[in-house]
Amino acid sequence: MPTLKRLAIWTLLATQTVVPAFAASAEQWAKRSIYQIITDRFALPPGADPTKCDAGEHTWCGGTWNSIRQNLDYIQNAGFTAIWISPVNQNYVGPKTPYGDPYHGYWIQDNSQLNARFGTADDLKALSKELHARKMFLMVDVVVNNVMATSTSPDYSKYMFKDKSMYHEYCPIQWGNHDSEQTCWFGDDKVPLPDVDTKNPTVISTYHTWVRELVEEYGIDGLRIDAAKHVNKDFWPGFVEAAGVFCIGEVYGGMEVNTIAQWQGPAALPSVLNYPLYAALKEAFVIPGTRNTSALAEVLLQEQQNFVDTTVLGNFMENHDVPRWHNMSVDPQSMYNAMAFMFMTDGIPIVYAGQEQYFSGNSDPWNREPLWVSGYARTPAYELIARLNLVRNYLIHSTDWVTQPTNVLTVSDNGIGVMKGPVVSVLTNIGSPPRNGSSLAVQSPYESSTALIDVMNCRQFVVGSDGWLDVEYTKGGVATILVPRDLLSGGPICPPSPSSQNVKGGQKQPSNGVRATVIGDWAIGFMALLTGAMMW
Ligand SMILES: *[C@@H]1O[C@H](CO)[C@@H](O)[C@H](O)[C@H]1NC(C)=O
Ligand SMILES: *[C@@H]1O[C@H](CO)[C@@H](O)[C@H](O)[C@H]1NC(C)=O
Ligand SMILES: *[C@@H]1O[C@H](CO)[C@@H](O)[C@H](O)[C@H]1NC(C)=O
């Protein structure tokens, strides 16, 4: 039955050249941007009471695959080209545990069934179909490392693997001990997570069949793999091949780039979530914080030296396991600048539902707020993300920007300047208050007098002598993304408006060393909504 549909999807994923299916899909995913959803928390079915969800209760709030499908406009209008949804397979069924109910979907009981809480097989297929009709991709979260139990001697007959011999013997994880992290059980004695023996040949072949069927049946375009580093690395290449689609593993960690980078490549996974970049973004942009942009530059360099391919890493500032950015950093410009960096550097940007609404929960369960309380408002953060997606999608379609490596141009107390392909991004961590006399100067490879447009507000810059660009902060610490004017002509980003066709020289503002000059606003009317909303 799914053959025709799969053919269509494969055509979508395939590139012109003859390459293995997996390589093509990684390449395609590099050009996507992802909106991360916990199915239970994104949207309610029509008629449901929106006041009944308390994240602190650790229980279901009522979101479904159908309600995601009915609210895709909100995601697509922000420019996203893919969604990642929480696990779809059957979870623990039973009394509420000391850690609540499995509304998040990660407490796998039987992977061979869908989770009826979120809908039927047809509902999931309808979501997939609707995404593809919108030319969007579906990424599904899968849990392979473990199942969930309420005792250390569970009844194995309820799981997909029904024999005790297909699991490691119970032992609590000794953190820091590699073997223990691989074979012992996650969780604790209240909610133990029995560890599947992923070296057992029956387990391996069953998982291969399972994942192939899951992907084919539901038209899944990519997988996010939970707790990937707790599975033996050599399990992954066969699993990825069986899946036949791009896989991105959760390899939780900090700035230890070379350890995490070992999980990407032909002997491991196509990609991992970019925890080192996340840690470095916090170092650089959280206010108050260390604001160490050198640490960010260092991580960027190390990633390019250690990862097989940085352009397919999953970049993020938030997810359901870490504090909301707005909990750590209240100044919105902190988030906007870090967000702009995340979109303009190597990797696939991932935004966790609710960040665009300034949600500020800290740890689990407070960082899993229901999105509907926001009224799906077009907040300044939402508009900023929409703008970044628009610019990134445009660059991807009109240049080879996405495969170019990011280079650091400058690191200073005020921020960081980077260049990827033709784009110069100047990001600051000074925060919202205007700072007259404060600026960030970067030396670009552009010839003096080259016209660049700040695509965040359509302001025109002209490159000064020796390639210098000087960004001033008289309107506060806003993100600046400079693209050659010629590259934008004819496109949807900052089209020249009739009134500004002849930019008057009178608006010149030579800065201290006659470096770069702002000479006028291009099509600022086009951006009125955005700029008005952005507190500038
Ligand atoms: C900033 O990060 C760099 C690189 O990681 C490190 O060497 C330096 O000590 C850090 N500086 C501060 C002030 O923490
Ligand atoms: C951070 O999260 C905690 C727990 O949700 C909350 O009590 C606190 O008010 C939050 N802080 C901010 C600044 O939002
Ligand atoms: C800072 O500069 C802006 C624009 O040049 C000006 O409007 C504002 O009055 C200045 N503020 C201070 C405190 O000097």
Side-chain angles (χ1 to χ4, degrees), residues 186-223:
F186 253 130
D188 57 18
D189 54 357
K190 297 191 190 88
V191 177
L193 304 177
D195 199 76
V196 178
D197 180 0
T198 42
K199 287 186 176 166
N200 177 314
T202 310
V203 167
I204 294 172
S205 66
T206 307
Y207 262 149
H208 288 185
T209 309
W210 169 74
V211 76
R212 182 179 300 121
E213 288 176 359
L214 183 76
V215 165
E216 287 184 359
E217 186 69 9
Y218 300 104
I220 294 167
D221 306 296
L223 300 173

Side-chain angles (χ1 to χ4, degrees), residues 381-443:
Y382 179 97
E383 299 294 353
L384 177 108
I385 291 166
R387 186 74 187 162
L388 289 168
N389 267 322
L390 182 73
V391 169
R392 186 174 181 274
N393 292 339
Y394 177 78
L395 291 167
I396 285 169
H397 289 293
S398 55
T399 71
D400 64 352
W401 172 87
V402 81
T403 56
Q404 297 294 313
T406 303
N407 294 311
V408 175
L409 298 178
T410 208
V411 162
S412 92
D413 286 348
N414 287 342
I416 186 167
V418 296
M419 185 159 184
K420 180 177 170 72
V423 183
V424 175
S425 302
V426 184
L427 290 327
T428 179
N429 52 19
I430 65 171
S432 294
R435 287 246 196 121
N436 288 2
S438 197
S439 70
L440 217 168
V442 300
Q443 192 170 23

Side-chain angles (χ1 to χ4, degrees), residues 308-322:
V308 170
D309 183 358
T310 54
T311 69
V312 296
L313 297 177
N315 297 346
F316 64 94
M317 294 167 68
E318 290 186 355
N319 64 38
H320 58 294
D321 292 326
V322 301

Side-chain angles (χ1 to χ4, degrees), residues 494-525:
C494 306
S497 68
S499 64
S500 64
Q501 214 92 62
N502 302 304
V503 174
K504 295 215 172 66
Q507 273 183 289
K508 280 191 180 180
Q509 309 173 344
S511 53
N512 17 354
V514 193
R515 289 170 161 178
T517 321
V518 178
I519 61 165
D521 298 344
W522 261 45
I524 209 76

Side-chain angles (χ1 to χ4, degrees), residues 314-369:
N315 297 346
F316 64 94
M317 294 167 68
E318 290 186 355
N319 64 38
H320 58 294
D321 292 326
V322 301
R324 295 285 190 176
W325 191 271
H326 206 53
N327 193 274
M328 301 182 288
S329 195
V330 176
D331 187 317
Q333 288 300 347
S334 154
M335 180 167 101
Y336 301 159
N337 277 273
M339 185 71 78
F341 187 95
M342 177 178 105
F343 270 79
M344 287 298 131
T345 192
D346 302 359
I348 307 166
I350 303 173
V351 176
Y352 174 45
Q355 182 166 16
E356 75 283 10
Q357 298 293 343
Y358 307 94
F359 283 176
S360 62
N362 188 350
S363 51
D364 170 10
W366 308 107
N367 53 2
R368 292 137 184 224
E369 306 93 325

